[in-house]
């Protein structure tokens, strides 16, 4: 599957809980949050085509597109990014995951492979409270495209849950996996440890 995987990273949110800061551009351990995410994808799947939905940046190297309207939410952002995916599988990721590592993507792939790739249309991490983390998942591109074409709402949960993904416990990671507040950013900076990184 690694050889047939692309990624869409959603990086255009308003970051209201961060006071409107440029969240993907905030740094942890000398890299922006967005660089951490794209680096993890490229370390896991070096040939992946990465599309970032959000303002264009010098780094990381990727295709940058914007949703319509900008800041319109995750479903419009996915609509903007998914047409650029040509691989059979796509990683749908948030841009605020400093602890994302190649082994997390490998774990999602392994679950799908072990259960038979044709049996499930996706796999998604669930956190310690048993809640799906919809922006840390792996999806069959055609199944996702079909669902998106038929969907008129704005809820990522209502779009993705009918695909009945495999729910994978998030392990080997801090309990607070993403960064939503200034306090969470400081905790991520304190807790971050070196891991295998891909090129930005």
């Amino acid at each position: 599957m690694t050889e047939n995987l692309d990624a869409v990273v959603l990086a255009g949110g308003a970051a209201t809980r961060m006071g409107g800061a440029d969240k993907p551009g905030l740094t942890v351990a000398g890299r922006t949050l967005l660089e951490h995410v794209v680096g993890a994808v490229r370390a896991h799947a070096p040939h992946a085509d990465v599309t970032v939905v959000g303002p264009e940046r010098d780094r990381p190297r990727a295709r940058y597109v914007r949703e319509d309207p900008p800041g319109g939410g995750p479903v419009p952002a996915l609509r903007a990014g998914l047409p650029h995916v040509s691989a059979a599988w796509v990683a749908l990721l948030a841009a605020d995951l400093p602890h994302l590592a190649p082994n997390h993507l490998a774990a999602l792939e392994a679950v799908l492979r072990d259960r038979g790739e044709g049996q499930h249309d996706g796999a998604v991490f669930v956190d310690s409270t048993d809640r799906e983390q919809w922006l840390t998942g792996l999806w069959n591109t055609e199944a996702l495209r079909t669902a998106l074409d038929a969907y008129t709402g704005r809820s990522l949960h209502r779009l993705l849950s009918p695909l009945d993904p495999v729910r994978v416990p998030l392990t080997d990671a801090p309990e607070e996996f993403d960064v939503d507040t200034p306090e969470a950013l400081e905790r991520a900076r304190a807790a971050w440890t070196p891991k295998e990184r891909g090129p930005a």
Side-chain angles (χ1 to χ4, degrees), residues 102-181:
N103 63 285
H104 296 120
L105 299 172
L108 294 173
E109 281 196 1
V111 166
L112 289 168
R113 185 169 54 249
D114 291 347
R115 299 197 182 193
E117 290 184 19
Q119 302 300 311
H120 292 275
D121 288 326
V124 64
F125 280 124
V126 294
D127 64 17
S128 60
T129 66
D130 203 40
R131 293 184 60 183
E132 296 92 346
Q133 299 300 298
W134 296 113
L135 290 178
T136 52
L138 204 64
W139 304 92
N140 178 285
T141 303
E142 284 309 311
L144 183 55
R145 187 169 283 130
T146 298
L148 191 61
D149 286 345
Y151 186 65
T152 59
R154 299 180 61 84
S155 165
L156 204 58
H157 165 75
R158 292 182 179 177
L159 168 67
L160 297 177
S161 61
L163 295 177
D164 194 26
V166 184
R167 302 170 81 253
V168 182
L170 180 56
T171 58
D172 190 25
E175 183 172 337
E176 199 169 32
F177 198 57
D178 59 358
V179 171
D180 283 330
T181 65

Side-chain angles (χ1 to χ4, degrees), residues 24 32 34-39 42 50 52 57-64 199-200:
T32 66
L34 181 58
E35 285 178 298
H36 280 287
V37 173
V38 175
R42 293 216 167 102
V50 179
V52 175
R57 304 169 188 271
D58 292 334
R59 294 176 61 86
R61 175 179 49 84
R63 174 190 299 104
Y64 289 85

